[in-house]
Amino acid sequence: FRSFCVVCRGAVWQEGAPPPQRVFTMKILFVSSEVAPFAKVGGLGDVAAALPRYLRAKGHDVRVVVPMYARVHKEGRVFEEVIPELAFDMGPHRVHVSIFAANLPGSDLPVYFVRCPALYDRPSIYSAGGDEHLRFSVLSWAALVLCQHLGFGPDILHVNDWQTSLIPLLLRTAFKWDRLFARTRTVLTIHNIG
């Protein structure tokens, strides 16, 4: 007779024993240009609120990152400052951002907001301006730096549409050195492709 054990993220299950209720809890970072009710143009905003809320309710450690657009500031909303100032270079641009947090209304799901007035304080979420690529490159970079600041190494990094699709490339290039992301896998969801 020999004993066999399975170890999965700290949970131990011995053969012959009843399996534990939850063997594996995933750490998931969801990065999106929209999250309802804070910022919503279409279905992406709804999915970016509903899917992370559902996964959190199933016991996963889920966090969401979105730009802090001007419309996010509504009466009664309170935000906690997480990173007062963060500066980095994006090509020839020196970018300064700060990061705030609040829970998704009606849940304990943390939503992190990348604040950069020069890029996000505009009347609409999307624009026809020539800097859309910069706006969402900054979001992508800031999301990864936030993970470093929090010590949050996601198992899954879920990116949505072209606005956040730079993240998988950043993980394999500029952030490859960081062991925090060594086990991170990415999922790209394209909404309304047709």
Side-chain angles (χ1 to χ4, degrees):
F1 177 80
R2 104 191 137 125
S3 181
F4 177 74
C5 288
V6 175
V7 178
C8 183
R9 291 270 175 133
V12 177
W13 177 68
Q14 188 165 2
E15 188 177 20
Q21 280 296 80
R22 184 170 309 284
V23 174
F24 184 70
T25 299
M26 296 177 71
K27 293 197 269 184
I28 304 166
L29 184 69
F30 199 94
V31 186
S32 178
S33 59
E34 302 176 31
V35 176
F38 300 109
K40 177 183 178 321
V41 172
L44 171 58
D46 294 326
V47 170
L51 180 57
R53 183 187 312 221
Y54 174 82
L55 293 169
R56 184 134 180 121
K58 292 294 182 186
H60 300 290
D61 184 357
V62 184
R63 297 150 194 228
V64 178
V65 180
V66 65
M68 187 174 245
Y69 302 110
R71 67 176 57 194
V72 168
H73 300 282
K74 288 196 174 176
E75 192 173 324
R77 289 186 179 158
V78 179
F79 301 92
E80 172 192 346
E81 190 173 55
V82 177
I83 302 177
E85 185 175 346
L86 174 63
F88 50 88
D89 294 318
M90 295 293 295
H93 307 281
R94 184 74 176 160
V95 180
H96 297 269
V97 303
S98 51
I99 299 181
F100 291 81
N103 283 347
L104 188 70
S107 76
D108 66 344
L109 176 68
V111 179
Y112 295 93
F113 299 86
V114 178
R115 174 113 174 95
C116 184
L119 297 176
Y120 304 130
D121 280 0
R122 298 179 183 181
S124 62
I125 291 175
Y126 305 111
S127 71
D131 66 349
E132 288 291 279
H133 63 289
L134 179 61
R135 295 175 75 216
F136 297 109
S137 295
V138 167
L139 172 64
S140 298
W141 191 278
L144 295 175
V145 173
L146 172 65
C147 286
Q148 291 173 322
H149 177 81
L150 298 174
F152 182 75
D155 297 303
I156 301 292
L157 212 157
H158 190 155
V159 300
N160 293 273
D161 289 337
W162 73 264
Q163 292 90 350
T164 57
S165 64
L166 183 62
I167 290 175
L169 178 64
L170 289 174
L171 284 172
R172 282 158 184 72
T173 56
F175 289 83
K176 185 177 183 175
W177 63 271
D178 194 339
R179 301 295 305 150
L180 183 70
F181 302 113
R183 295 180 44 161
T184 300
R185 299 297 179 258
T186 57
V187 174
L188 167 62
T189 299
I190 299 174
H191 303 263
N192 302 321
I193 197 167

PDB file of all heavy atoms in Angstrom, residues 159-183:
ATOM      1  N   VAL A 159      -7.625  39.932 -21.328  1.00  0.00           N
ATOM      2  CA  VAL A 159      -7.616  41.223 -22.015  1.00  0.00           C
ATOM      3  C   VAL A 159      -8.777  41.263 -22.999  1.00  0.00           C
ATOM      4  O   VAL A 159      -9.239  40.224 -23.480  1.00  0.00           O
ATOM      5  CB  VAL A 159      -6.265  41.497 -22.705  1.00  0.00           C
ATOM      6  CG1 VAL A 159      -5.142  41.497 -21.679  1.00  0.00           C
ATOM      7  CG2 VAL A 159      -5.961  40.492 -23.801  1.00  0.00           C
ATOM      8  N   ASN A 160      -9.249  42.471 -23.279  1.00  0.00           N
ATOM      9  CA  ASN A 160     -10.471  42.633 -24.055  1.00  0.00           C
ATOM     10  C   ASN A 160     -10.295  43.627 -25.189  1.00  0.00           C
ATOM     11  O   ASN A 160      -9.978  44.792 -24.955  1.00  0.00           O
ATOM     12  CB  ASN A 160     -11.593  43.100 -23.123  1.00  0.00           C
ATOM     13  CG  ASN A 160     -11.951  42.034 -22.121  1.00  0.00           C
ATOM     14  OD1 ASN A 160     -12.771  41.176 -22.394  1.00  0.00           O
ATOM     15  ND2 ASN A 160     -11.290  42.049 -20.966  1.00  0.00           N
ATOM     16  N   ASP A 161     -10.526  43.169 -26.395  1.00  0.00           N
ATOM     17  CA  ASP A 161     -10.459  43.982 -27.607  1.00  0.00           C
ATOM     18  C   ASP A 161      -9.070  44.558 -27.826  1.00  0.00           C
ATOM     19  O   ASP A 161      -8.140  44.308 -27.067  1.00  0.00           O
ATOM     20  CB  ASP A 161     -11.529  45.072 -27.596  1.00  0.00           C
ATOM     21  CG  ASP A 161     -12.935  44.496 -27.789  1.00  0.00           C
ATOM     22  OD1 ASP A 161     -13.050  43.393 -28.351  1.00  0.00           O
ATOM     23  OD2 ASP A 161     -13.916  45.139 -27.384  1.00  0.00           O
ATOM     24  N   TRP A 162      -8.926  45.337 -28.890  1.00  0.00           N
ATOM     25  CA  TRP A 162      -7.612  45.846 -29.270  1.00  0.00           C
ATOM     26  C   TRP A 162      -7.031  46.745 -28.187  1.00  0.00           C
ATOM     27  O   TRP A 162      -5.819  46.841 -28.038  1.00  0.00           O
ATOM     28  CB  TRP A 162      -7.661  46.580 -30.609  1.00  0.00           C
ATOM     29  CG  TRP A 162      -8.336  47.926 -30.560  1.00  0.00           C
ATOM     30  CD1 TRP A 162      -9.629  48.202 -30.871  1.00  0.00           C
ATOM     31  CD2 TRP A 162      -7.743  49.167 -30.175  1.00  0.00           C
ATOM     32  NE1 TRP A 162      -9.887  49.541 -30.695  1.00  0.00           N
ATOM     33  CE2 TRP A 162      -8.742  50.167 -30.270  1.00  0.00           C
ATOM     34  CE3 TRP A 162      -6.470  49.549 -29.747  1.00  0.00           C
ATOM     35  CZ2 TRP A 162      -8.516  51.502 -29.960  1.00  0.00           C
ATOM     36  CZ3 TRP A 162      -6.241  50.883 -29.436  1.00  0.00           C
ATOM     37  CH2 TRP A 162      -7.257  51.846 -29.547  1.00  0.00           C
ATOM     38  N   GLN A 163      -7.894  47.394 -27.404  1.00  0.00           N
ATOM     39  CA  GLN A 163      -7.411  48.376 -26.436  1.00  0.00           C
ATOM     40  C   GLN A 163      -6.454  47.773 -25.408  1.00  0.00           C
ATOM     41  O   GLN A 163      -5.583  48.478 -24.896  1.00  0.00           O
ATOM     42  CB  GLN A 163      -8.597  49.040 -25.710  1.00  0.00           C
ATOM     43  CG  GLN A 163      -9.431  49.919 -26.595  1.00  0.00           C
ATOM     44  CD  GLN A 163     -10.577  49.190 -27.274  1.00  0.00           C
ATOM     45  OE1 GLN A 163     -10.675  47.975 -27.238  1.00  0.00           O
ATOM     46  NE2 GLN A 163     -11.447  49.948 -27.922  1.00  0.00           N
ATOM     47  N   THR A 164      -6.598  46.513 -25.084  1.00  0.00           N
ATOM     48  CA  THR A 164      -5.722  45.890 -24.086  1.00  0.00           C
ATOM     49  C   THR A 164      -4.911  44.727 -24.661  1.00  0.00           C
ATOM     50  O   THR A 164      -4.240  44.016 -23.914  1.00  0.00           O
ATOM     51  CB  THR A 164      -6.543  45.410 -22.868  1.00  0.00           C
ATOM     52  OG1 THR A 164      -7.548  44.501 -23.312  1.00  0.00           O
ATOM     53  CG2 THR A 164      -7.190  46.578 -22.155  1.00  0.00           C
ATOM     54  N   SER A 165      -4.968  44.552 -25.959  1.00  0.00           N
ATOM     55  CA  SER A 165      -4.305  43.393 -26.573  1.00  0.00           C
ATOM     56  C   SER A 165      -2.782  43.500 -26.619  1.00  0.00           C
ATOM     57  O   SER A 165      -2.108  42.547 -26.996  1.00  0.00           O
ATOM     58  CB  SER A 165      -4.861  43.152 -27.977  1.00  0.00           C
ATOM     59  OG  SER A 165      -4.569  44.246 -28.815  1.00  0.00           O
ATOM     60  N   LEU A 166      -2.237  44.615 -26.194  1.00  0.00           N
ATOM     61  CA  LEU A 166      -0.784  44.763 -26.100  1.00  0.00           C
ATOM     62  C   LEU A 166      -0.214  43.987 -24.900  1.00  0.00           C
ATOM     63  O   LEU A 166       0.958  43.618 -24.892  1.00  0.00           O
ATOM     64  CB  LEU A 166      -0.425  46.246 -25.984  1.00  0.00           C
ATOM     65  CG  LEU A 166       1.053  46.616 -25.943  1.00  0.00           C
ATOM     66  CD1 LEU A 166       1.749  46.195 -27.233  1.00  0.00           C
ATOM     67  CD2 LEU A 166       1.201  48.121 -25.729  1.00  0.00           C
ATOM     68  N   ILE A 167      -1.033  43.710 -23.922  1.00  0.00           N
ATOM     69  CA  ILE A 167      -0.561  43.095 -22.675  1.00  0.00           C
ATOM     70  C   ILE A 167       0.162  41.760 -22.889  1.00  0.00           C
ATOM     71  O   ILE A 167       1.239  41.553 -22.326  1.00  0.00           O
ATOM     72  CB  ILE A 167      -1.705  42.989 -21.646  1.00  0.00           C
ATOM     73  CG1 ILE A 167      -2.068  44.398 -21.157  1.00  0.00           C
ATOM     74  CG2 ILE A 167      -1.329  42.083 -20.483  1.00  0.00           C
ATOM     75  CD1 ILE A 167      -3.261  44.461 -20.233  1.00  0.00           C
ATOM     76  N   PRO A 168      -0.367  40.817 -23.675  1.00  0.00           N
ATOM     77  CA  PRO A 168       0.390  39.566 -23.863  1.00  0.00           C
ATOM     78  C   PRO A 168       1.802  39.792 -24.413  1.00  0.00           C
ATOM     79  O   PRO A 168       2.745  39.122 -23.992  1.00  0.00           O
ATOM     80  CB  PRO A 168      -0.481  38.776 -24.850  1.00  0.00           C
ATOM     81  CG  PRO A 168      -1.860  39.286 -24.607  1.00  0.00           C
ATOM     82  CD  PRO A 168      -1.689  40.753 -24.315  1.00  0.00           C
ATOM     83  N   LEU A 169       1.946  40.757 -25.321  1.00  0.00           N
ATOM     84  CA  LEU A 169       3.273  41.071 -25.852  1.00  0.00           C
ATOM     85  C   LEU A 169       4.166  41.683 -24.772  1.00  0.00           C
ATOM     86  O   LEU A 169       5.339  41.319 -24.646  1.00  0.00           O
ATOM     87  CB  LEU A 169       3.158  42.027 -27.042  1.00  0.00           C
ATOM     88  CG  LEU A 169       4.487  42.474 -27.658  1.00  0.00           C
ATOM     89  CD1 LEU A 169       5.229  41.295 -28.260  1.00  0.00           C
ATOM     90  CD2 LEU A 169       4.244  43.555 -28.695  1.00  0.00           C
ATOM     91  N   LEU A 170       3.618  42.585 -23.979  1.00  0.00           N
ATOM     92  CA  LEU A 170       4.398  43.191 -22.889  1.00  0.00           C
ATOM     93  C   LEU A 170       4.895  42.134 -21.903  1.00  0.00           C
ATOM     94  O   LEU A 170       6.018  42.208 -21.413  1.00  0.00           O
ATOM     95  CB  LEU A 170       3.566  44.239 -22.150  1.00  0.00           C
ATOM     96  CG  LEU A 170       3.276  45.530 -22.896  1.00  0.00           C
ATOM     97  CD1 LEU A 170       2.308  46.413 -22.095  1.00  0.00           C
ATOM     98  CD2 LEU A 170       4.552  46.284 -23.203  1.00  0.00           C
ATOM     99  N   LEU A 171       4.048  41.149 -21.614  1.00  0.00           N
ATOM    100  CA  LEU A 171       4.449  40.087 -20.684  1.00  0.00           C
ATOM    101  C   LEU A 171       5.638  39.292 -21.201  1.00  0.00           C
ATOM    102  O   LEU A 171       6.457  38.818 -20.429  1.00  0.00           O
ATOM    103  CB  LEU A 171       3.282  39.131 -20.430  1.00  0.00           C
ATOM    104  CG  LEU A 171       2.196  39.634 -19.492  1.00  0.00           C
ATOM    105  CD1 LEU A 171       1.020  38.664 -19.486  1.00  0.00           C
ATOM    106  CD2 LEU A 171       2.737  39.831 -18.087  1.00  0.00           C
ATOM    107  N   ARG A 172       5.736  39.148 -22.509  1.00  0.00           N
ATOM    108  CA  ARG A 172       6.811  38.337 -23.099  1.00  0.00           C
ATOM    109  C   ARG A 172       8.027  39.151 -23.501  1.00  0.00           C
ATOM    110  O   ARG A 172       9.012  38.592 -23.972  1.00  0.00           O
ATOM    111  CB  ARG A 172       6.259  37.565 -24.290  1.00  0.00           C
ATOM    112  CG  ARG A 172       5.467  36.360 -23.810  1.00  0.00           C
ATOM    113  CD  ARG A 172       4.481  35.865 -24.812  1.00  0.00           C
ATOM    114  NE  ARG A 172       3.660  34.779 -24.306  1.00  0.00           N
ATOM    115  CZ  ARG A 172       2.699  34.892 -23.402  1.00  0.00           C
ATOM    116  NH1 ARG A 172       2.463  36.038 -22.841  1.00  0.00           N
ATOM    117  NH2 ARG A 172       1.986  33.861 -23.029  1.00  0.00           N
ATOM    118  N   THR A 173       7.951  40.464 -23.301  1.00  0.00           N
ATOM    119  CA  THR A 173       9.088  41.314 -23.657  1.00  0.00           C
ATOM    120  C   THR A 173       9.498  42.172 -22.452  1.00  0.00           C
ATOM    121  O   THR A 173      10.347  41.761 -21.668  1.00  0.00           O
ATOM    122  CB  THR A 173       8.760  42.194 -24.884  1.00  0.00           C
ATOM    123  OG1 THR A 173       7.586  42.967 -24.628  1.00  0.00           O
ATOM    124  CG2 THR A 173       8.564  41.354 -26.130  1.00  0.00           C
ATOM    125  N   ALA A 174       8.892  43.315 -22.280  1.00  0.00           N
ATOM    126  CA  ALA A 174       9.300  44.283 -21.259  1.00  0.00           C
ATOM    127  C   ALA A 174       9.163  43.759 -19.832  1.00  0.00           C
ATOM    128  O   ALA A 174       9.914  44.168 -18.945  1.00  0.00           O
ATOM    129  CB  ALA A 174       8.493  45.578 -21.426  1.00  0.00           C
ATOM    130  N   PHE A 175       8.221  42.838 -19.571  1.00  0.00           N
ATOM    131  CA  PHE A 175       8.003  42.329 -18.215  1.00  0.00           C
ATOM    132  C   PHE A 175       8.458  40.873 -18.069  1.00  0.00           C
ATOM    133  O   PHE A 175       8.191  40.249 -17.042  1.00  0.00           O
ATOM    134  CB  PHE A 175       6.527  42.462 -17.828  1.00  0.00           C
ATOM    135  CG  PHE A 175       6.101  43.883 -17.584  1.00  0.00           C
ATOM    136  CD1 PHE A 175       5.754  44.713 -18.642  1.00  0.00           C
ATOM    137  CD2 PHE A 175       6.064  44.400 -16.304  1.00  0.00           C
ATOM    138  CE1 PHE A 175       5.373  46.031 -18.428  1.00  0.00           C
ATOM    139  CE2 PHE A 175       5.683  45.711 -16.071  1.00  0.00           C
ATOM    140  CZ  PHE A 175       5.339  46.530 -17.142  1.00  0.00           C
ATOM    141  N   LYS A 176       9.157  40.355 -19.062  1.00  0.00           N
ATOM    142  CA  LYS A 176       9.590  38.955 -19.029  1.00  0.00           C
ATOM    143  C   LYS A 176      10.516  38.658 -17.848  1.00  0.00           C
ATOM    144  O   LYS A 176      10.516  37.554 -17.309  1.00  0.00           O
ATOM    145  CB  LYS A 176      10.291  38.608 -20.341  1.00  0.00           C
ATOM    146  CG  LYS A 176      10.660  37.156 -20.456  1.00  0.00           C
ATOM    147  CD  LYS A 176      11.281  36.846 -21.785  1.00  0.00           C
ATOM    148  CE  LYS A 176      11.567  35.361 -21.872  1.00  0.00           C
ATOM    149  NZ  LYS A 176      12.058  34.980 -23.185  1.00  0.00           N
ATOM    150  N   TRP A 177      11.282  39.620 -17.433  1.00  0.00           N
ATOM    151  CA  TRP A 177      12.240  39.448 -16.346  1.00  0.00           C
ATOM    152  C   TRP A 177      11.560  39.183 -14.994  1.00  0.00           C
ATOM    153  O   TRP A 177      12.157  38.602 -14.096  1.00  0.00           O
ATOM    154  CB  TRP A 177      13.112  40.697 -16.211  1.00  0.00           C
ATOM    155  CG  TRP A 177      12.299  41.914 -15.842  1.00  0.00           C
ATOM    156  CD1 TRP A 177      11.691  42.780 -16.703  1.00  0.00           C
ATOM    157  CD2 TRP A 177      11.966  42.356 -14.526  1.00  0.00           C
ATOM    158  NE1 TRP A 177      11.002  43.748 -16.010  1.00  0.00           N
ATOM    159  CE2 TRP A 177      11.161  43.513 -14.667  1.00  0.00           C
ATOM    160  CE3 TRP A 177      12.269  41.894 -13.241  1.00  0.00           C
ATOM    161  CZ2 TRP A 177      10.656  44.212 -13.569  1.00  0.00           C
ATOM    162  CZ3 TRP A 177      11.766  42.598 -12.151  1.00  0.00           C
ATOM    163  CH2 TRP A 177      10.966  43.743 -12.323  1.00  0.00           C
ATOM    164  N   ASP A 178      10.308  39.609 -14.841  1.00  0.00           N
ATOM    165  CA  ASP A 178       9.645  39.567 -13.539  1.00  0.00           C
ATOM    166  C   ASP A 178       9.009  38.202 -13.289  1.00  0.00           C
ATOM    167  O   ASP A 178       8.048  37.822 -13.959  1.00  0.00           O
ATOM    168  CB  ASP A 178       8.587  40.671 -13.449  1.00  0.00           C
ATOM    169  CG  ASP A 178       8.115  40.896 -12.031  1.00  0.00           C
ATOM    170  OD1 ASP A 178       8.268  39.990 -11.180  1.00  0.00           O
ATOM    171  OD2 ASP A 178       7.582  41.989 -11.753  1.00  0.00           O
ATOM    172  N   ARG A 179       9.523  37.473 -12.315  1.00  0.00           N
ATOM    173  CA  ARG A 179       9.025  36.141 -11.974  1.00  0.00           C
ATOM    174  C   ARG A 179       7.571  36.170 -11.499  1.00  0.00           C
ATOM    175  O   ARG A 179       6.902  35.137 -11.486  1.00  0.00           O
ATOM    176  CB  ARG A 179       9.909  35.498 -10.891  1.00  0.00           C
ATOM    177  CG  ARG A 179      11.378  35.342 -11.284  1.00  0.00           C
ATOM    178  CD  ARG A 179      11.626  34.395 -12.434  1.00  0.00           C
ATOM    179  NE  ARG A 179      11.050  33.081 -12.170  1.00  0.00           N
ATOM    180  CZ  ARG A 179      10.600  32.253 -13.093  1.00  0.00           C
ATOM    181  NH1 ARG A 179      10.663  32.573 -14.354  1.00  0.00           N
ATOM    182  NH2 ARG A 179      10.098  31.104 -12.768  1.00  0.00           N
ATOM    183  N   LEU A 180       7.073  37.333 -11.131  1.00  0.00           N
ATOM    184  CA  LEU A 180       5.671  37.461 -10.720  1.00  0.00           C
ATOM    185  C   LEU A 180       4.740  36.963 -11.825  1.00  0.00           C
ATOM    186  O   LEU A 180       3.686  36.412 -11.555  1.00  0.00           O
ATOM    187  CB  LEU A 180       5.358  38.926 -10.383  1.00  0.00           C
ATOM    188  CG  LEU A 180       3.961  39.237  -9.878  1.00  0.00           C
ATOM    189  CD1 LEU A 180       3.761  38.660  -8.476  1.00  0.00           C
ATOM    190  CD2 LEU A 180       3.729  40.743  -9.860  1.00  0.00           C
ATOM    191  N   PHE A 181       5.153  37.154 -13.077  1.00  0.00           N
ATOM    192  CA  PHE A 181       4.319  36.788 -14.219  1.00  0.00           C
ATOM    193  C   PHE A 181       4.741  35.471 -14.881  1.00  0.00           C
ATOM    194  O   PHE A 181       4.250  35.134 -15.961  1.00  0.00           O
ATOM    195  CB  PHE A 181       4.353  37.909 -15.267  1.00  0.00           C
ATOM    196  CG  PHE A 181       3.901  39.237 -14.740  1.00  0.00           C
ATOM    197  CD1 PHE A 181       4.798  40.291 -14.615  1.00  0.00           C
ATOM    198  CD2 PHE A 181       2.585  39.448 -14.357  1.00  0.00           C
ATOM    199  CE1 PHE A 181       4.393  41.520 -14.132  1.00  0.00           C
ATOM    200  CE2 PHE A 181       2.157  40.672 -13.876  1.00  0.00           C
ATOM    201  CZ  PHE A 181       3.066  41.711 -13.758  1.00  0.00           C
ATOM    202  N   ALA A 182       5.622  34.716 -14.239  1.00  0.00           N
ATOM    203  CA  ALA A 182       6.164  33.500 -14.859  1.00  0.00           C
ATOM    204  C   ALA A 182       5.084  32.476 -15.204  1.00  0.00           C
ATOM    205  O   ALA A 182       5.190  31.774 -16.201  1.00  0.00           O
ATOM    206  CB  ALA A 182       7.211  32.864 -13.941  1.00  0.00           C
ATOM    207  N   ARG A 183       4.037  32.394 -14.393  1.00  0.00           N
ATOM    208  CA  ARG A 183       2.974  31.410 -14.629  1.00  0.00           C
ATOM    209  C   ARG A 183       1.739  32.017 -15.283  1.00  0.00           C
ATOM    210  O   ARG A 183       0.750  31.332 -15.495  1.00  0.00           O
ATOM    211  CB  ARG A 183       2.583  30.763 -13.305  1.00  0.00           C
ATOM    212  CG  ARG A 183       3.708  29.953 -12.694  1.00  0.00           C
ATOM    213  CD  ARG A 183       3.296  29.334 -11.407  1.00  0.00           C
ATOM    214  NE  ARG A 183       1.955  28.759 -11.556  1.00  0.00           N
ATOM    215  CZ  ARG A 183       1.437  27.854 -10.777  1.00  0.00           C
ATOM    216  NH1 ARG A 183       2.119  27.414  -9.762  1.00  0.00           N
ATOM    217  NH2 ARG A 183       0.231  27.382 -10.969  1.00  0.00           N
TER     218      ARG A 183
END
